[in-house]
């Protein structure tokens, strides 16, 4: 049988499909992406025409195109942009690369060959006209770039020009597509600031290319505006990340009125900004005080080969491979803080004065702070008196709870003590209480109310960002993260917010891997090994899992005779989370079941190896899911037969017979409501009425 040689198959390209798959969500910043790309191309064209003198001889003009305003005094809507340069022009070789999807031209500059696709992703029309040299003669090329497989280059023309015709390129981007139009910037300051922020690595160079922004008949030289406004040194410094990686950072201080963003680290690559990380919260100030220039904004420009080589395909992030971005970010944040130390001296002095005043008028709080100097040094610089009182009150609250716990232990062990030993303990506790401590019970209840208010604050949405606090910030109100009872004070938590009985458990792990506190007591039986293997294959078993809270072993005083201690598992979800896919990694019921399965037939140990509890099939589990209610969550719970409503109507509970586990979903609103009701009962018991819900502006007396 003879073989027939056929032509080799060809791989076809769909231009419209490639643009459709270009990931560019409709945001204000992404509406500017085509302009950024046009300016970047203009920069490369200028550097190619003037390799040594590009900063002196090159020029880029960005003109904002606007329609008619319907309101007198309002800014007219932006319809597009006109980007003009005096670079080398769109010659034959360069136009050949323009026609090639995902071209590798300029790959050495981290170009991805897809930037021009954003022109027709965001705008309905993109018109290009260019003058260039061809064999010693000037030629003009123009076309309309269209979203079409058949005619991507519409109205294509070439014509000869006079020898003295200026080379360069003009790109006209016009008519936003509908999905982007509503998001586009309108205010000239927003447009100016977005260009400053995106090309900040270019503007901060000693070489200043002339880039003019023309908007509403006003011309602004962006390079001069940015560079002349920098306060202090303009020389970058080297920073060691680890033994294999380094970075360069330029510390920039700008007057707040000209700063494009707040205090930030800007990670740059390929002469452009890629990721902006706000750091105002980390340094504790929104602006740095300066008596001469007014408030200043800090910007750390981070760059280097590490970032150039790791830039992702869309130029929106980095893929470092063997190093975590958060590790890199922490080193650079610490570097920024060191640079800013001289500027933060005065706010730190004010913080210390505020703390001294609080402790002078409320000596009761001093017992909660072991190291006053260390506490003052760590205070965020944007705290006011109310925020300071809240934090110190929380520490005082935990201190008081620990003291009460000592009294409870004394009561529990009274029968085994001699009269002399009991008297000695009473004397010691009485001395600890002292005159200032006599009001501790009332203070304790007030502070509980402040903790409830703190949880309310952490649940609120930030209107400036339309975001809730992340899960870990809310988790911290209930219990510190990443700790066990070995590394925190016995009662250094607020689990009473969920259920007062949880305060009496003697061992807690918070956000720790199961394998760090639980292990097989003996070699597992073959059936156990087989079951774990099957569960692992389904994603239902894993010793690396980290329960938000796992709680074991109640003291004898609170244990019923002939009963086993229940093990408690608590899972928190972020206040912003209301959508669940139901997949194993996004299903809180499966998560909690996985934690239980991973604990069965194991022994829990403290950090120093002390045996805490044995977990077996007879061990009862109490499981709490703390989250925001949503239709998706209720449906997910129903699928797992967790559908009985709690008395308030919003929660759900069920008994999972196969795991001997009681499961309860408690909405955040109900957690707050229940905690407040229990706390009001304390108020009535103490006959205390009308105490403040939050710390007043004036520091409350002890």
């Amino acid at each position: 049988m003879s073989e027939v040689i056929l032509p080799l198959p060809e791989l076809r390209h769909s231009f419209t499909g490639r643009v459709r798959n270009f990931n560019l969500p409709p945001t204000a910043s992404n509406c500017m992406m085509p302009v950024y790309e046009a300016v970047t191309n203009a920069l490369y064209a200028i550097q190619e025409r003037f390799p040594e003198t590009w900063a002196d001889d090159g020029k880029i003009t960005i003109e904002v195109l606007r329609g008619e305003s319907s309101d007198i005094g309002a800014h007219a809507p932006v319809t597009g942009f006109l980007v003009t340069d005096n670079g080398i022009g769109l010659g034959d070789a360069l136009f050949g690369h323009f026609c090639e999807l995902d071209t590798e031209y300029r790959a050495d500059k981290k170009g991805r060959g897809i930037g021009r696709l954003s022109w027709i992703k965001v705008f309905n029309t993109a018109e290009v006209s260019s003058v260039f040299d061809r064999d010693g003669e000037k030629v003009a090329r123009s076309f309309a770039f269209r979203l079409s497989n058949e005619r991507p280059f519409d109205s294509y023309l070439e014509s000869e020009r006079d020898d003295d015709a200026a080379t360069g390129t003009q790109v006209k981007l016009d008519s936003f597509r509908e999905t982007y139009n509503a998001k586009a910037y309108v205010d000239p300051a927003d447009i100016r600031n977005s260009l400053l922020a995106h090309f900040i690595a270019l503007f901060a160079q000693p070489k200043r290319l002339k880039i003019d922004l023309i908007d509403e008949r006003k011309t602004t030289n962006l390079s001069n505006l940015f560079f002349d406004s920098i306060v202090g040194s303009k020389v970058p410094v080297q920073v060691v990340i680890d033994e294999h990686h380094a970075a360069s950072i330029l510390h920039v201080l700008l007057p707040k009125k000209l700063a494009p963003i707040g205090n930030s680290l800007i990670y740059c690559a390929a002469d452009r900004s890629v990721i902006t990380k706000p750091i105002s919260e980390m340094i504790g100030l929104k602006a740095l005080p300066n008596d001469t220039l007014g408030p200043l904004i800090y910007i750390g420009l981070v760059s280097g080969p590490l970032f150039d080589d790791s830039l992702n395909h869309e130029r929106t992030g980095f893929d470092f491979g063997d190093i975590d971005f958060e590790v890199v970010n922490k080193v650079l944040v610490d570097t920024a803080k060191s640079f800013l130390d001289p500027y933060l001296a005065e706010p730190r002095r004010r913080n210390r004065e505020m703390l001294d005043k609080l402790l002078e008028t409320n000596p009761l709080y001093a017992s909660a702070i072991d190291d006053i100097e260390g506490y003052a040094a760590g205070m965020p610089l944007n705290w006011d008196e109310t925020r300071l009182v809240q934090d110190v009150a929380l520490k005082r609250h935990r201190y008081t709870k620990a003291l009460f716990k000592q009294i409870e232990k004394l009561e529990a062990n009274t029968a085994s003590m001699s009269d002399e030993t009991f008297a000695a303990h009473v004397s010691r506790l009485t001395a600890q209480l002292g005159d200032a401590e006599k009001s501790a019970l009332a203070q304790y209840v007030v502070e509980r109310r402040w903790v409830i208010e703190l949880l309310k604050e952490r649940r609120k949405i930030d209107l400036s960002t339309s975001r809730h606090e992340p899960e870990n910030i809310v988790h911290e109100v209930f219990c510190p993260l990443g700790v066990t009872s070995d590394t925190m004070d016995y009662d250094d938590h607020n689990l009473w917010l969920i259920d007062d009985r949880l305060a009496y458990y003697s061992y807690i792990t918070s956000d720790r891997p199961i394998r760090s506190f639980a292990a097989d007591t003996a070699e597992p039986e073959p059936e156990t090994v087989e079951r774990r293997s099957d569960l692992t294959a389904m994603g239902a078993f894993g010793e690396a899992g980290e329960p938000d809270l796992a709680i074991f072993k109640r003291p004898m005083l609170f244990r019923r005779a002939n009963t086993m201690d229940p093990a408690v598992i608590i899972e928190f979800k972020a206040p912003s989370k209301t959508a669940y896919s139901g997949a194993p990694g996004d299903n809180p019921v499966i998560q909690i079941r996985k934690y239980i399965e991973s604990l069965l037939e194991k022994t829990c140990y403290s950090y120093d190896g002390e045996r805490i509890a044995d977990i077996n099939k007879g061990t009862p589990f109490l499981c709490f899911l703390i989250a925001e209610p949503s239709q998706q969550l209720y449906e997910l719970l129903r699928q797992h037969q967790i559908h009985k409503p709690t008395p308030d109507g919003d929660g759900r509970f069920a008994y999972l017979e196969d795991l001997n586990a009681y499961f309860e979903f408690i909405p955040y609103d109900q957690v707050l409501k229940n905690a407040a009701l229990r706390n009001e009962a304390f108020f009535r018991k103490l006959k205390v009425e009308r105490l403040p819900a939050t710390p007043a502006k004036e520091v409350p007396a002890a």
Side-chain angles (χ1 to χ4, degrees):
M1 184 175 181
S2 61
E3 293 182 350
V4 179
I5 299 177
L6 298 173
L8 292 175
E10 293 184 355
L11 185 65
R12 295 188 299 273
H13 297 278
S14 171
F15 177 51
T16 57
R18 183 67 183 87
V19 174
R20 183 188 65 241
N21 294 331
F22 190 147
N23 183 27
L24 198 67
T27 65
S29 178
N30 283 344
C31 286
M32 292 294 295
M33 184 64 72
V35 186
Y36 303 154
E37 293 297 336
V39 172
T40 299
N41 290 341
L43 172 63
Y44 288 150
I46 287 170
Q47 290 175 333
E48 191 168 345
R49 183 183 178 190
F50 309 109
E52 303 299 328
T53 63
W54 61 271
D56 299 317
D57 297 331
K59 180 177 179 180
I60 298 174
T61 301
I62 308 165
E63 183 178 353
V64 182
L65 307 178
R66 294 180 180 269
E68 297 295 327
S69 176
S70 57
D71 297 326
I72 298 177
H75 299 295
V78 174
T79 61
F81 296 84
L82 193 64
V83 179
T84 308
D85 68 71
N86 64 340
I88 199 167
L90 190 59
D92 294 333
L94 190 55
F95 184 64
H97 294 298
F98 189 102
C99 297
E100 180 186 1
L101 288 177
D102 298 295
T103 177
E104 294 185 358
Y105 182 65
R106 294 191 181 130
D108 59 325
K109 297 181 179 180
K110 307 306 172 186
R112 308 305 187 191
I114 60 173
R116 64 200 179 284
L117 302 187
S118 68
W119 297 355
I120 50 178
K121 179 81 173 182
V122 176
F123 290 94
N124 284 301
T125 63
E127 298 175 357
V128 180
S129 59
S130 182
V131 176
F132 59 93
D133 281 318
R134 177 190 284 163
D135 299 328
E137 296 182 351
K138 293 290 178 63
V139 178
R141 171 183 280 128
S142 63
F143 57 89
F145 194 34
R146 304 292 190 198
L147 184 59
S148 167
N149 285 326
E150 292 74 27
R151 293 177 63 87
F153 301 103
D154 199 12
S155 304
Y156 184 89
L157 291 174
E158 286 189 16
S159 60
E160 293 183 358
R161 290 293 178 91
D162 294 338
D163 291 342
D164 59 353
T167 63
T169 301
Q170 183 178 87
V171 177
K172 182 179 181 181
L173 306 168
D174 204 8
S175 180
F176 280 105
R177 294 190 184 275
E178 185 176 354
T179 54
Y180 294 90
N181 188 51
K183 299 291 184 179
Y185 290 127
V186 175
D187 193 311
D190 291 333
I191 296 172
R192 180 198 68 200
N193 291 347
S194 71
L195 288 164
L196 286 172
H198 188 80
F199 292 103
I200 197 167
L202 174 64
F203 292 131
Q205 296 181 55
K207 290 184 177 182
R208 281 181 281 169
L209 176 68
K210 186 176 183 182
I211 301 180
D212 285 340
L213 175 65
I214 303 174
D215 193 6
E216 295 183 335
R217 298 184 296 278
K218 178 182 178 182
T219 300
T220 303
N221 185 309
L222 297 178
S223 302
N224 290 343
L225 173 64
F226 181 86
F227 194 82
D228 293 344
S229 303
I230 296 176
V231 178
S233 173
K234 302 176 178 68
V235 179
V237 296
Q238 294 300 116
V239 179
V240 175
I241 305 298
D242 59 26
E243 58 181 338
H244 303 296
H245 303 92
S248 174
I249 183 169
L250 175 64
H251 300 294
V252 174
L253 292 174
L254 290 171
K256 185 178 180 180
K257 62 182 179 180
L258 294 178
I261 50 179
N263 299 309
S264 305
L265 288 178
I266 300 181
Y267 290 87
C268 305
D271 294 322
R272 68 189 69 198
S273 61
V274 180
I275 292 178
T276 299
K277 284 284 190 178
I279 62 169
S280 291
E281 288 298 319
M282 297 176 186
I283 65 176
L285 280 180
K286 292 183 178 179
L288 308 175
N290 185 288
D291 294 336
T292 304
L293 300 172
L296 301 177
I297 295 297
Y298 168 83
I299 298 172
L301 292 169
V302 182
S303 60
L306 170 64
F307 306 97
D308 289 337
D309 295 340
S310 304
L311 186 61
N312 69 12
H313 189 74
E314 287 81 15
R315 305 180 187 178
T316 57
F318 302 102
D319 181 9
F320 294 120
D322 61 340
I323 184 171
D324 189 341
F325 178 78
E326 292 308 318
V327 172
V328 176
N329 190 58
K330 183 180 185 307
V331 173
L332 273 304
V333 168
D334 291 343
T335 302
K337 286 181 177 179
S338 297
F339 170 80
L340 293 172
D341 269 345
Y343 300 90
L344 305 179
E346 178 60 21
R348 287 188 178 125
R349 184 192 65 78
R350 290 198 300 269
N351 262 10
R352 182 54 196 265
E353 285 185 355
M354 185 166 60
L355 178 61
D356 288 344
K357 178 183 176 183
L358 172 67
L359 298 182
E360 180 181 348
T361 55
N362 292 268
L364 187 63
Y365 289 137
S367 60
I369 304 176
D370 296 329
D371 178 7
I372 292 178
E373 292 290 340
Y375 182 83
M379 285 172 57
L381 302 180
N382 58 350
W383 273 9
D384 57 13
E385 192 174 82
T386 298
R387 184 64 185 87
L388 172 61
V389 172
Q390 283 181 324
D391 188 73
V392 177
L394 185 59
K395 292 182 181 299
R396 168 65 193 165
H397 170 67
R398 289 172 174 168
Y399 167 83
T400 305
K401 286 170 69 177
L403 191 61
F404 287 173
K405 190 61 190 175
Q406 292 183 53
I407 297 173
E408 291 173 354
K409 286 183 177 179
L410 178 61
E411 292 175 348
N413 296 295
T414 299
S416 62
M417 293 182 183
S418 66
D419 291 344
E420 292 79 8
T421 303
F422 180 77
H425 279 289
V426 170
S427 177
R428 178 176 57 82
L429 289 173
T430 303
Q432 281 184 286
L433 288 169
D435 291 337
E437 307 291 337
K438 299 282 174 74
S439 62
L441 280 174
Q443 183 90 5
Y444 176 80
V445 176
V446 173
E447 289 164 4
R448 268 199 172 197
R449 182 176 283 186
W450 289 349
V451 173
I452 294 170
E453 292 298 319
L454 177 61
L455 178 57
K456 288 181 182 178
E457 288 295 320
R458 296 270 171 100
R459 265 194 74 222
K460 286 182 179 177
I461 191 170
D462 185 343
L463 295 178
S464 65
T465 62
S466 298
R467 294 179 180 176
H468 290 271
E469 295 283 6
E471 175 190 327
N472 62 317
I473 299 298
V474 178
H475 184 150
E476 282 276 4
V477 178
F478 293 88
C479 185
L481 285 162
V483 300
T484 68
S485 295
D486 306 290
T487 55
M488 66 176 175
D489 292 337
Y490 182 84
D491 255 343
D492 195 18
H493 60 72
N494 292 303
L495 295 180
W496 56 268
L497 285 164
I498 302 172
D499 191 323
D500 276 294
R501 291 169 295 180
L502 297 180
Y504 300 121
Y505 277 74
S506 60
Y507 196 79
I508 300 170
T509 71
S510 175
D511 209 37
R512 302 281 296 174
I514 288 173
R515 63 186 173 208
S516 70
F517 61 83
D520 290 311
T521 308
E523 189 69 21
E525 296 293 332
E527 304 86 75
T528 302
V529 173
E530 183 177 356
R531 174 176 171 76
R532 290 179 180 177
S533 177
D534 292 340
L535 291 171
T536 300
M538 296 186 296
F541 179 92
E543 296 172 321
E546 299 179 1
D548 285 344
L549 289 174
I551 309 171
F552 309 95
K553 194 174 182 179
R554 291 186 293 183
M556 287 295 296
L557 178 64
F558 304 97
R559 181 189 297 157
R560 291 176 296 170
N562 302 316
T563 60
M564 298 182 67
D565 288 325
V568 181
I569 292 176
I570 301 174
E571 182 71 11
F572 300 102
K573 295 301 175 187
S576 59
K577 185 170 180 61
T578 56
Y580 296 82
S581 68
D586 193 29
N587 186 322
V589 180
I590 293 177
Q591 283 181 285
I592 291 174
R593 289 185 65 94
K594 181 177 179 179
Y595 297 146
I596 295 175
E597 293 282 6
S598 303
L599 283 168
L600 286 176
E601 307 302 329
K602 284 184 166 44
T603 297
C604 298
Y605 296 92
S606 66
Y607 183 80
D608 60 4
E610 178 186 357
R611 191 183 194 125
I612 298 297
D614 295 319
I615 309 296
N616 54 51
K617 291 182 179 179
T619 302
F621 280 86
L622 297 178
C623 307
F624 297 95
L625 169 62
I626 312 299
E628 295 291 355
S630 70
Q631 197 57 44
Q632 282 191 1
L633 180 56
Y634 285 134
E635 178 59 22
L636 186 151
L637 293 171
R638 188 190 64 78
Q639 291 173 8
H640 290 273
Q641 305 303 310
I642 304 169
H643 52 77
K644 295 181 180 178
T646 52
D648 60 275
D650 291 328
R652 296 291 185 269
F653 72 95
Y655 175 67
L656 307 180
E657 187 172 359
D658 62 319
L659 295 175
N660 193 20
Y662 171 83
F663 186 106
E664 183 173 351
F665 158 56
I666 311 177
Y668 279 108
D669 280 335
Q670 200 58 38
V671 170
L672 287 163
K673 181 179 178 181
N674 292 344
L677 287 173
R678 292 195 301 271
N679 208 45
E680 288 300 321
F682 283 124
F683 270 73
R684 291 192 295 272
K685 187 71 173 178
L686 291 168
K687 295 181 174 58
V688 179
E689 297 180 359
R690 301 291 181 186
L691 290 177
T694 55
K697 288 293 182 183
E698 294 298 323
V699 179

